Amino acid sequence: MHLIEKAEEDNRTVITEFILLGFGDLPELQILLFLVFLVIYIVTMSGNILIIALVVADQHLHTPMYFFLGNLSCLETCYTSAILPRMLASLLTGDRTISVSGCFAQLYCFGFLAATECYLLAAMSYDRYLAICKPLHYAALMNSRLCLQLVGGSWISGFLTCVIMMCFMSQLTFCGPSEIDHFFCDFSPMLKFSCSDTNTITLVSFILTSLDSPCPFLLTVTSYVCIIATILRIPSTTGRQKAFSTCSSHLIVVTVFYGSLMTVYLLPKTNTPVALNKVFSVFYTVLTPLVNPLIYSLRNKEVKEALRKVIS
């Protein structure tokens, strides 16, 4: 029996590269898709870099909320750069191959940044909770030391999670076929092509994902439940509107990010069409980094004022 299994293993073709099918099933739309995603990439990078520059340059934006926002914009520039340049090159040249090591690198960057964003959004919601629910103690509680600890903890948590995952991933051997029906290297599609035992990495992935997404999400939800309860107790309509305006931008960003993330990863895989899955993946990998600077710049008075100063 062992000899038969060994013979089967020897006959398997170990692959050294994957083929990311992406949007290859729409050949007539390749140039249009390239132009659309190129515009999105330029606007995303410009918007997020502009916010980072404003937060650094304008003294009025040297507050905890904008310190978090600057980090979020920095994360989004890296996040979109981990996926879009590779997709743009594929749409332009038609070359959809990517080496296994290249796939690992993309998966690591994507996973690290997505996990960090979950923690960073939770830290931002905690900042808004203190500002609205404990305004008299806000300056003392949300000091520069705590800001650095929250931001540093977010980046380190995302980094360590993905280092552990990639240590297990690097032990796997991948066999043919090599076609991944996605536009970037995601964990589940890659795992399907492993001819090694995947039970351990599946368990590790479940444990780490349970810590990385639900915990920050629950912290974010709890913060906003307290925030909304506090806002509703404010007697004047003007006071309620003013309090809500300080956290509405962040609430929209959280809703867009977690809404698309949950749609992709919680929908049953068997009943969901691959094309629909790709569309939802575009939402949280491509459109979320695009809308973040737009939401914060259009809905935030301080950012608009800083932008007006730069223009004038």
Side-chain angles (χ1 to χ4, degrees):
M1 186 69 181
H2 290 296
L3 290 171
I4 294 170
E5 287 177 359
K6 189 176 186 306
E8 286 177 354
E9 284 178 12
D10 291 340
N11 287 332
R12 288 173 180 168
T13 305
V14 176
I15 57 175
T16 56
E17 60 183 24
F18 292 110
I19 299 168
L20 292 173
L21 297 179
F23 301 99
D25 55 338
L26 303 167
E28 68 282 357
L29 295 178
Q30 297 298 290
I31 298 300
L32 178 62
L33 287 171
F34 171 78
L35 293 172
V36 169
F37 285 123
L38 179 63
V39 170
I40 288 172
Y41 184 56
I42 292 168
V43 173
T44 301
M45 294 296 287
S46 304
N48 282 295
I49 290 169
L50 180 62
I51 284 183
I52 295 167
L54 290 174
V55 169
V56 171
D58 197 305
Q59 292 289 329
H60 295 97
L61 302 183
H62 290 183
T63 62
M65 185 173 96
Y66 295 107
F67 177 64
F68 291 125
L69 177 58
N71 272 271
L72 182 66
S73 291
C74 179
L75 183 146
E76 298 292 22
T77 57
C78 300
Y79 190 62
T80 195
S81 296
I83 292 169
L84 271 181
R86 176 68 190 74
M87 193 205 299
L88 289 169
S90 174
L91 288 167
L92 187 63
T93 64
D95 180 16
R96 296 187 177 85
T97 58
I98 183 170
S99 65
V100 171
S101 57
C103 222
F104 276 9
Q106 190 181 58
L107 176 63
Y108 174 77
C109 292
F110 161 70
F112 158 49
L113 295 165
T116 303
E117 183 158 4
C118 290
Y119 287 109
L120 200 54
L121 289 174
M124 292 174 80
S125 65
Y126 178 65
D127 170 68
R128 293 299 83 208
Y129 160 75
L130 290 180
I132 293 170
C133 301
K134 299 182 184 295
L136 299 178
H137 305 288
Y138 176 71
L141 291 171
M142 190 53 74
N143 52 42
S144 57
R145 184 182 174 187
L146 181 60
C147 287
L148 288 170
Q149 286 173 342
L150 289 171
V151 168
S154 299
W155 286 97
I156 292 167
S157 299
F159 173 77
L160 290 178
T161 301
C162 277
V163 164
I164 295 167
M165 279 296 299
M166 295 315 294
C167 285
F168 283 94
M169 282 289 284
S170 62
Q171 306 299 315
L172 300 179
T173 305
F174 296 93
C175 303
S178 59
E179 293 183 344
I180 298 177
D181 197 3
H182 214 328
F183 59 86
F184 71 99
C185 296
D186 204 357
F187 176 73
S188 298
M190 281 183 72
L191 210 61
K192 290 177 185 175
F193 298 108
S194 172
C195 41
S196 310
D197 179 34
T198 58
N199 290 328
T200 305
I201 193 169
T202 303
L203 178 62
V204 170
S205 168
F206 175 76
I207 293 167
L208 293 175
T209 307
S210 299
L211 294 171
D212 266 349
S213 298
C215 292
F217 176 69
L218 289 173
L219 285 170
T220 304
V221 169
T222 305
S223 296
Y224 272 103
V225 167
C226 296
I227 287 168
I228 291 166
T230 303
I231 289 173
L232 291 175
R233 286 198 295 269
I234 297 172
S236 68
T237 307
T238 310
R240 284 197 296 270
Q241 288 175 344
K242 189 178 178 182
F244 187 71
S245 68
T246 63
C247 63
S248 59
S249 299
H250 180 253
L251 185 58
I252 294 167
V253 168
V254 167
T255 305
V256 171
F257 178 73
Y258 277 111
S260 53
L261 201 66
M262 287 177 176
T263 305
V264 170
Y265 291 106
L266 295 183
L267 277 177
K269 303 295 179 197
T270 51
N271 299 330
T272 310
V274 175
L276 188 62
N277 199 50
K278 285 182 195 176
V279 170
F280 286 125
S281 294
V282 166
F283 269 94
Y284 78 88
T285 58
V286 178
L287 295 183
T288 303
L290 171 69
V291 299
N292 284 2
L294 295 176
I295 290 168
Y296 277 104
S297 58
L298 293 175
R299 296 185 60 85
N300 197 292
K301 288 179 182 176
E302 287 91 347
V303 173
K304 281 194 283 188
E305 185 61 36
L307 189 59
R308 198 176 292 115
K309 284 180 187 174
V310 170
I311 293 168
S312 61

